[in-house]
Amino acid sequence: MGLLNKLDDPYYGGGIILGKVEDILNWGRSKSDWYLQFGLACCAIEFMAVNASHFDFMRFGCIPRTSPRQADFIIISGTVTFKMAERIKVLYEQMAEPKYVISMGSCSNCGGPYWEHGYHVLKGVDRIIPVDVYIPGCPPRPEALEEGMIRLQEKINKQAIFNKRKRLAEEEKQELIIDN
Amino acid sequence: MQAQEIYEKLKAEFGDAIIEFNAEPFFDPFVLVTTDKLFDICLYLRDTQGLEFDYLSCLGGMDYKENLGVVYHLYSIKLKHTFVIKVTVSKENPFVPTVERIWRTADWHEREAYDMMGIQFEGHHNLIRILCPYDWENFPLRKDYVQPDEYHGMKVPY
Ligand code: SF4
């Protein structure tokens, strides 16, 4: 968004920023995303590596929360079995709005190696909860997860906060027009 | 102690309950025993001087297409020798006595064999599913298993 770059701009000068409240709110929101401390399978190992000092997830402003009530987003890091799927849905529903989901790895994207004979695996977590960012890989490298995080921040930055209902209604109307 | 000697000891003690001894190279030597004497044989293997199998390293369920089976891998930490026991049961009547009271390890292993293969361990104190959800139907690692279309409203096939 480059809000801070405007300070260097001679046109704006004098330490004054002209901008939208929405931008500054989104800037704050995207730079302090707290995630649910929650891992599922082998992907969770990579996820832990991202948390550790080499990759340092905290520089994105991400702090692990152990309660879904305090979490802004959840990383589905691994194989979603049917037994776990129901728990994931409960966790997701317990999170406060606005909430985001990152699907990490082939397993949670589409079933991964269990796509054919995995009688116990849900073939994609998007069958039960909406997903914002998909990260491919089995497992994705830590850099890939960081890339996913940057994508999520970009997405949050672009979100509309005010008059959301009105805007959504308008969008819906337009979709209807297109559909018809 | 070598497998041959263990077999001879067992044969002298239990006679007809020992159906077969197999010591082909490249495989762990094993004996096939009858289910009704299984508990006594296991107890004997654990408590006899010179055998002392104090550790059950693995208990696994098997599907041999016509039959089901259970394989017990034993190890003696004290005497450092191994031995394998097998039993087979029919699919219609898959009852095997539990060895949970001999080796505590068998508790969860038997639950897993029940969960995956449907082998019923008689006398087990808590024979419920361990990996699949409690309301899962059928036994998924049987060779004739057909996966369901749906579980709690979630589609199972890709
Ligand atoms: S995508 Fe690969 S690494 Fe990740 S949970 Fe699935 S099998 Fe494990």
Side-chain angles (χ1 to χ4, degrees), chain B residues 43-84:
Chain B
L43 202 61
Y44 178 80
L45 283 172
R46 189 190 70 177
D47 289 346
T48 309
Q49 192 100 56
L51 297 175
E52 286 162 82
F53 286 100
D54 45 11
Y55 181 55
L56 176 68
S57 18
C58 184
L59 183 158
M62 294 286 288
D63 187 341
Y64 300 113
K65 288 215 174 103
E66 316 81 52
N67 287 321
L68 295 173
V70 188
V71 184
Y72 303 81
H73 286 256
L74 307 178
Y75 183 69
S76 170
I77 292 172
K78 191 169 166 201
L79 303 174
K80 300 201 171 27
H81 54 204
T82 59
F83 200 55
V84 180

Side-chain angles (χ1 to χ4, degrees), chain B residues 9 16 52 62-63 72 82 85 87-88 99 102 110 112 115 125 150 152:
Chain B
K9 248 184 146 164
D16 288 346
E52 286 162 82
M62 294 286 288
D63 187 341
Y72 303 81
T82 59
I85 313 175
V87 291
T88 53
V99 294
I102 303 176
E110 285 181 350
E112 189 187 6
D115 192 357
H125 81 287
E150 206 184 70
H152 287 192

Side-chain angles (χ1 to χ4, degrees), chain A residues 40-44 77-79 104-108 111-114 137-140:
Chain A
L40 283 179
C42 10
C43 272
S77 51
T79 319
M104 177 187 182
S106 315
C107 277
S108 61
Y114 309 98
C138 177

Side-chain angles (χ1 to χ4, degrees), chain B residues 8 28 43 46 62 65 69 92 104 114 116:
Chain B
E8 274 155 21
D28 287 341
L43 202 61
R46 189 190 70 177
M62 294 286 288
K65 288 215 174 103
E92 298 74 47
R104 208 61 182 82
Y114 162 72
M116 294 293 142

Side-chain angles (χ1 to χ4, degrees), chain A residues 146-157:
Chain A
E146 289 181 340
E147 167 82 21
M149 189 58 225
I150 292 167
R151 291 294 161 93
L152 183 64
Q153 287 185 337
E154 279 171 10
K155 182 166 181 171
I156 295 172
N157 274 333

Side-chain angles (χ1 to χ4, degrees), chain A residues 82-83 85-86 110-111 115-123 127-128, chain B residues 116 130-133 136 140-141 145 147 151-152 154-158:
Chain A
F82 287 115
K83 204 174 179 178
E86 292 176 333
C110 64
W115 69 279
E116 192 174 8
H117 300 296
Y119 57 88
H120 59 306
V121 175
L122 185 70
K123 314 296 183 311
R127 291 190 181 182
I128 50 165
Chain B
M116 294 293 142
I130 187 169
L131 297 169
C132 290
W136 195 263
L141 287 198
Y145 178 72
Q147 68 177 12
Y151 175 73
H152 287 192
M154 293 174 278
K155 193 171 141 226
V156 176
Y158 182 72

